[in-house]
Amino acid sequence: MKKILVFSVIASAILIAGCRKNTSLSESAFNETPTLPSIPFDYNARFQHLSPFGEVLNNEVAALGRVLFYERKLSANGTVSCGSCHMQSNAFADNKKSSSGLALGKTPRNSPTLCNISRQNRYFLDGRDDTLEQMVLKPIGNHLEMGISDIASIVNRVESISYYKPLFEKAFGDDKITLPRIATSLKTFLNSIVSYQSKQDLDPAVPIQQLYTFDERVGRQLFMMSLPCASCHTGDNLTLGWSGSTFANIGLEEHYTDKGATFMNSPQNGDLEGFFKVPTLRNIALTAPYMHDGRFKTLDDVITFYTQNIQPHPLLNSNLQTGGGWGGGFGFGISDPEVAELAKVTSNNDGKFGTPLRFELNSYQRKCLIAFLHTFTDTKMITEPMYSDPFKK
C-alpha cells in the first residue's frame, strides 16, 4: 500500500511538473489577451468562394470563433487549444503522427486538415458526428485532448475571462455566454477556413502548358489518366463526392486494428470495417504524415502503398481492384504526346478479378506525381492573418 501511495505521489508530481513546464513555455510565446483588428476581417468574402447556397457568415461571430479556437484556457491545464493540433502552417492539420494533448497525452488518430470543412456533412475520420456544432465541442471534452470532462463548465470558464463578454456582445447583440453560442462561433470560424487559391484552382481557366511545369504536366497525366487517383479525388475539393463525407476502405490492412466507421454498420450500409473518410487532397503536401493513423511519413510512402502494397481486404474499394470501378482514365489528360508517353505505367496486375491493383512507377514518374500534388497547395490560406493565432507574440 505504501509503495502504491509513493508511486501515485511521484506520478502526480511528474504530471504537474510537465503541465507547469508546458505552461511556462506557452507564456513565453503567447500574450494573455488576444490582439484583434478594430474592424473584423472579412471572413465572409473568403467563405463565398465555397458557399454553394448563398449562405453568409457573420464576421463578428467568426472573429469570436477565432479567439475560442486558439484559447488555451479552454483546456484543463491551460496549455492546449484547438490550434495546438490544427496548425495554420500545416493547412490546419498536425505534422505529428499522433497529436499531443493534455499532459502530452497522444491521440489515437492523426489530426486531419480543417480546410473547406463546410463542404462536409459528417465529421471526424469515422464520421461519428453529423453536425459541426457537435464536433467542435468534442475535442474540448476529450480526456486526451483538452480534458474538460463537464462540457457545460466551459461556459463558466469563458465567463471568467474578461475579454469575452465584449466579443459576445459584438457577435450576438448581448454579452450572454452560452454553450450553443460557443459552438456556433467555433463552427463559423471553421467554415471560414477556405482554400481556393492554389495553382490547381486556375485549371482549366489557364492553358495547361502555361499553368504547369513540364514535370507537373506529366504528374497530372499520371494522376488523371494512368493511375486511379482521380477516381476518389476529383472536383473542386479533390475528394470523393460533393459533400466530402464519403467513406472508403483502401486496403491499408487485411484485418484492421482501428475498425473505422463500423458504428454506422446497418442493413443499409453493410459492414464498414476499415472505412474512413476520403480526405481532400487540398494542401496535401503540407499535411504529412498521412492516413488515419499517420503511418506514412511522406508522399513517396503514400505512392508506394497505392502502387505496390494495397491489401486484399474483402471490403476494398472497387476503384482499387482489378476489374473494379476504375476505367483507366477520366478524360482530363494532356494531348501532348511526349507527356503521355512519359506518363505510361506498367501494370503488374495478376488478371484475377477483385485483386488489389499494382503498378510500377519509375523514379521520374514519382517525382512528377509529387510535383503535381504540390500544385494543390494554397500558400495564401496558410499565411492569411484572419486565420492566425491572435494570442501569438
Side-chain angles (χ1 to χ4, degrees):
M1 187 61 136
K2 275 187 176 181
K3 288 182 179 178
I4 293 173
L5 181 60
V6 169
F7 178 79
S8 298
V9 170
I10 292 172
S12 299
I14 292 171
L15 179 60
I16 292 168
C19 292
R20 284 178 179 166
K21 184 178 180 182
N22 287 343
T23 303
S24 175
L25 288 172
S26 297
E27 285 173 354
S28 68
F30 298 95
N31 292 312
E32 281 299 311
T33 58
T35 301
L36 300 171
S38 56
I39 299 174
F41 292 114
D42 194 351
Y43 293 94
N44 183 60
R46 287 189 65 86
F47 178 67
Q48 290 309 309
H49 288 275
L50 200 65
S51 174
F53 304 121
E55 183 183 352
V56 176
L57 291 188
N58 182 307
N59 291 328
E60 295 284 7
V61 176
L64 170 58
R66 175 188 172 210
V67 178
L68 290 166
F69 182 84
Y70 287 106
E71 182 59 79
R72 293 169 295 125
K73 294 171 187 173
L74 292 186
S75 65
N77 63 3
T79 66
V80 181
S81 72
C82 302
S84 300
C85 300
H86 296 279
M87 295 173 284
Q88 184 181 12
S89 59
N90 295 104
F92 291 95
D94 200 349
N95 59 2
K96 301 180 184 67
K97 181 177 180 179
S98 297
S99 296
S100 297
L102 191 71
L104 303 182
K106 297 293 184 181
T107 59
R109 292 176 179 163
N110 180 250
S111 297
T113 179
L114 297 178
C115 73
N116 295 4
I117 199 168
S118 65
R119 278 292 181 90
Q120 300 179 24
N121 58 19
R122 296 205 71 90
Y123 304 94
F124 293 107
L125 292 170
D126 57 11
R128 76 185 80 127
D129 282 338
D130 59 6
T131 72
L132 194 48
E133 290 93 339
Q134 289 176 321
M135 186 276 278
V136 293
L137 298 177
K138 295 294 177 65
I140 299 174
N142 186 286
H143 69 288
L144 291 174
E145 297 180 58
M146 296 174 72
I148 304 296
S149 56
D150 179 11
I151 288 293
S153 70
I154 297 172
V155 173
N156 294 331
R157 280 177 174 261
V158 175
E159 285 180 333
S160 70
I161 303 170
S162 62
Y163 46 80
Y164 275 111
K165 282 189 177 294
L167 291 175
F168 272 82
E169 184 162 10
K170 286 181 180 179
F172 296 104
D174 61 67
D175 63 6
K176 186 174 178 58
I177 298 173
T178 67
L179 201 58
R181 284 183 171 185
I182 291 170
T184 296
S185 302
L186 284 166
K187 169 193 171 180
T188 303
F189 175 66
L190 294 188
N191 277 340
S192 79
I193 301 175
V194 174
S195 179
Y196 68 94
Q197 291 172 293
S198 70
K199 184 183 283 192
Q200 186 268 343
D201 289 298
L202 299 174
D203 181 354
V206 177
I208 290 170
Q209 285 75 11
Q210 295 178 27
L211 180 60
Y212 297 112
T213 67
F214 185 82
D215 286 356
E216 288 168 355
R217 296 203 300 272
V218 174
R220 184 181 185 276
Q221 184 82 1
L222 287 161
F223 187 94
M224 297 291 188
M225 297 295 291
S226 305
L227 300 168
C229 312
S231 62
C232 289
H233 299 283
T234 189
D236 63 354
N237 206 35
L238 296 167
T239 188
L240 184 59
W242 182 88
S243 73
S245 296
T246 308
F247 299 80
N249 181 318
I250 60 171
L252 281 169
E253 301 166 19
E254 276 196 75
H255 305 285
Y256 278 78
T257 303
D258 184 336
K259 301 297 183 181
T262 51
F263 78 96
M264 291 194 288
N265 283 359
S266 69
Q268 293 78 24
N269 294 335
D271 184 7
L272 297 178
E273 179 185 304
F275 278 66
F276 292 91
K277 187 186 294 182
V278 177
T280 176
L281 293 191
R282 283 188 172 274
N283 303 294
I284 191 67
L286 303 175
T287 60
Y290 304 103
M291 305 301 167
H292 68 275
D293 54 4
R295 68 179 63 192
F296 299 134
K297 293 180 180 180
T298 67
L299 287 172
D300 194 63
D301 292 339
V302 175
I303 292 169
T304 296
F305 163 72
Y306 276 116
T307 56
Q308 297 293 317
N309 295 326
I310 296 173
Q311 298 301 300
H313 193 283
L315 301 176
L316 178 65
N317 184 271
S318 63
N319 290 313
L320 303 177
Q321 300 178 25
T322 56
W326 180 58
F330 290 85
F332 303 111
I334 297 172
S335 58
D336 186 330
E338 185 179 5
V339 168
E341 183 63 29
L342 288 170
K344 286 182 178 178
V345 299
T346 302
S347 170
N348 289 337
N349 301 317
D350 60 12
K352 295 179 181 177
F353 181 84
T355 58
L357 293 173
R358 295 284 186 265
F359 300 96
E360 285 288 343
L361 267 65
N362 59 43
S363 59
Y364 176 68
Q365 290 171 329
R366 285 173 171 266
K367 171 189 170 185
C368 291
L369 184 54
I370 291 171
F372 179 64
L373 293 174
H374 276 258
T375 69
F376 302 158
T377 301
D378 182 350
T379 56
K380 176 65 174 174
M381 186 197 74
I382 63 171
T383 57
E384 175 58 60
M386 69 173 68
Y387 300 142
S388 65
D389 187 342
F391 294 96
K392 205 164 187 179
K393 289 183 178 177

